[in-house]
Every structure is written in structure tokens, then in C-alpha cells.
Amino acid sequence: MPRVEYVESGIRIVAAHKGAVWPLVAACLPGHKASVLSTSGEWSEEIHRWDALAGDLLCTYDEINVPASSFAVSPSGNGGAVLAAGTESGVHCWNFETGEHLFESAALHGSTIWDVTMAALPTGRTLLLGAGADDRIYRWDAATGEPLGDALIGHCNSVKSVLAFRGANGRMTVASGDDNGAVLQWDAQSGELLNLESPEFDSMVTTLAHLTLADGRILLVGGSPRGEVRCWDATTGESIGRPINTGGGLPTLAAVVTRGEPRIYTSRDDDVIAQWNALTGELVDESPTGLSLAAVQMLDGDVLLATGTGEGDIFARRIGA
């Protein structure tokens, strides 16, 4: 049975899962408790939501029958929220608060969905996007599961990562990375492929994050399984800082502002979490606390940092702004 231990600046949920914790998401939504959502890859077909500050198990999401490769959380209007997961059979959505399974939607030809993200559109709808193994990015209504337009076509190989963010011009934008190391950007609502530059990676781009800098620029961050991390201006394509080599396999990364400084957190396959200066690429700190990680800016400006270990434990701590 899981148990909670109090550690410096946070909690440790011991034995949260029977196997390695991956993937992992941190969520801080208005009207909801700060949460950590987790599963255990091939070891589990359930997703758990934990109270990030107390360690209590708040909800369990099931009915997927296959392990989740990724998941995302988004407000859905009227104070509600939805949880979406990508799997080898398509996407699933649940009511975030109650755990009610809302729908399952398959991609074309039953393609695996490697990654998911969500975006609020000006129409009031919440857009769910899935990175398909068939080179496409799929779009669904997160409330109903109905397709929203045609799949986005532009990649020449399996799409491994997808990210929604509000660009410098206020437009909701989608970034996506593929097996060939290419990153593309799209208009989230129209599906238009944007003519924006991005660096070429040496291998597949399996994780993406973004950060708004103090001068208004949008920083995009991408990482590969070889431990290669690059940062660039989302509008100009200009590289920011030197390329980062984490020194090991890179399962996940996150970008947040910590104590007024833009930071990138990375995890490695040897359970090491590292913190980097997002503007220079310099290593700030590292600690042996996780195989996977998630970080999110809390409503009061603090950062919630969650990490999952190869032994099934979860650490969650609050970092002051």
C-alpha cells in the first residue's frame, strides 16, 4: 500500500506504483487541488491522481485496457476539467474531478498516439491533439471526442511529441516533433502549417515544453532520447543558450520560472533530475530523485515539481517564486 513521508519542501509517496513511474503530469487548475497524475507504463492500465501537497489518492481513471503513453489536463469550461491520455489504440478522456470515462476516439487505421496536449480555442471549445505514429497530428473536441477538421499533415515520419501554447501574437499554436528530429508549428484552430524556423535535432524529438520569458519572447524546448536538449525562440527560430547534453537518456523535461529565473528540468534513465539555466544552458543543480518529472507554475506563482522513480515512488515539492 502507498504511504506518505514528509521530506524537505514536500512529500514522498512511497510505492505509489508497482513499477517505474512514467508518464507523470502536474496540474494546478482553478477550483481544484494541486495534483500529480501518474501511471506506470507497461505495469499499469490505470492513472492515479494524488494530492500534491498531502499525498492522498484523489481519483483513479481506468477503462483504457492498455497502458497510457502520455496524458494531459485542461479546464473545460464551467469550472470543470478533463484528463486525456494517448494509447496504442487512440485517445481516452475522463472527467478530471469524478473519474467518469467520457469517450474513446481512434486515430486513422488505429494508429498509436504517442503524445497528447490540449488547447482552449476562442470558440470556447477545448481542442485535444494527438501525435500519431502514422505521421499525422489528430484533432478532437475534448468534450465529445468528435474530430475537429482533418488531421495535420507535414511530418515525414512518426510524430512523437506535441505541445499547445499561446504564441507571442496571442494565437494558439501547436508545436510537434518527429522521428527525424524535425519540429513544426501550426495554427491550432485553422490547422495551417506555419513557416517558422526551428533547429534540427540529431535524433527523434520525444518531448517538448515552452516558457514565456520576461521580455515577452516564447522559448521552445525540445529533447531527444539521447539526452540532447535545445532551446529556441518560437517566432524567429534563433537558438537560445548552448545545446544541453544531459549525460544520459532523456525521458522527460519541463520549463518553468523558478525564483524569477527561467529554468529547464530534465530527467535521466538513471533516476537523476537536473536543473539548467534556460538562457545559457548551464547546469544549476542535480539530484538523484527521479526517472520522470513534471513541473507547473502554481496559481500563486510558486512551482510544483513532481518526480517519479524507477522503484514506483513519487516526490512532490513546492518551490517558492
Side-chain angles (χ1 to χ4, degrees):
M1 291 290 293
R3 71 177 191 277
V4 177
E5 296 179 353
Y6 289 90
V7 296
E8 183 180 359
S9 303
I11 59 169
R12 176 185 183 183
I13 306 172
V14 180
H17 293 279
K18 294 180 180 178
V21 179
W22 182 90
L24 190 70
V25 165
C28 294
L29 303 176
H32 300 275
K33 291 183 177 181
S35 305
V36 176
L37 295 103
S38 63
T39 188
S40 186
E42 64 184 25
W43 293 94
S44 176
E45 296 172 2
E46 295 179 335
I47 298 169
H48 298 314
R49 176 164 61 93
W50 311 87
D51 185 317
L53 304 181
D56 299 329
L57 179 60
L58 300 175
C59 193
T60 296
Y61 310 87
D62 51 21
E63 299 189 41
I64 57 176
N65 301 319
V66 290
S69 57
S70 61
F71 37 86
V73 176
S74 175
S76 60
N78 300 320
V82 291
L83 165 68
T87 74
E88 63 184 30
S89 61
V91 293
H92 291 257
C93 263
W94 296 264
N95 180 297
F96 177 76
E97 189 66 29
T98 68
E100 177 191 0
H101 187 259
L102 302 177
F103 65 82
E104 175 186 5
S105 289
L108 190 65
H109 309 306
S111 172
T112 294
I113 298 298
W114 291 116
D115 195 15
V116 291
T117 190
M118 286 188 276
L121 298 178
T123 60
R125 283 178 160 179
T126 299
L127 176 65
L128 166 61
L129 300 112
D134 59 356
D135 314 349
R136 294 172 168 85
I137 300 167
Y138 291 90
R139 298 181 290 168
W140 296 276
D141 186 316
T144 66
E146 293 297 316
L148 290 180
D150 296 331
L152 308 183
I153 299 176
H155 286 281
C156 298
N157 213 318
S158 176
V159 187
K160 284 296 198 292
S161 53
V162 63
L163 168 73
F165 64 97
R166 195 168 297 281
N169 58 2
R171 174 169 54 184
M172 188 58 70
T173 305
V174 176
S176 52
D178 66 23
D179 256 349
N180 289 337
V183 178
L184 303 178
Q185 291 188 55
W186 318 75
D187 183 290
Q189 187 164 7
S190 69
E192 175 191 0
L193 179 60
L194 304 177
N195 185 26
L196 296 172
E197 297 293 327
S198 62
E200 284 286 338
F201 285 73
D202 293 335
S203 63
M204 67 179 74
V205 181
T206 53
T207 181
L208 288 165
H210 81 287
L211 188 63
T212 302
L213 301 178
D215 59 9
R217 289 181 297 162
I218 306 298
L219 174 71
L220 285 180
V221 186
S224 79
R226 296 180 179 176
E228 174 191 16
V229 177
R230 292 180 180 271
C231 306
W232 69 99
D233 186 304
T235 302
T236 67
E238 178 186 1
S239 292
I240 298 176
R242 65 189 184 198
I244 294 170
N245 185 335
T246 67
L250 176 76
T252 48
L253 62 78
V256 290
V257 176
T258 303
R259 299 187 175 96
E261 298 293 335
R263 293 288 188 252
I264 298 168
Y265 288 88
T266 61
S267 63
R268 290 203 319 239
D269 51 13
D270 58 357
D271 270 13
V272 171
I273 302 295
Q275 180 186 164
W276 310 82
N277 184 312
L279 299 181
T280 66
E282 295 177 346
L283 178 64
V284 176
D285 188 26
E286 61 181 13
S287 60
T289 56
L291 170 72
S292 59
L293 70 83
V296 66
Q297 217 81 40
M298 302 181 74
L299 302 179
D300 61 2
D302 286 358
V303 170
L304 171 60
L305 175 65
T307 59
T309 72
E311 290 72 42
D313 298 348
I314 295 172
F315 290 85
R317 62 189 180 104
R318 185 178 191 138
I319 302 172

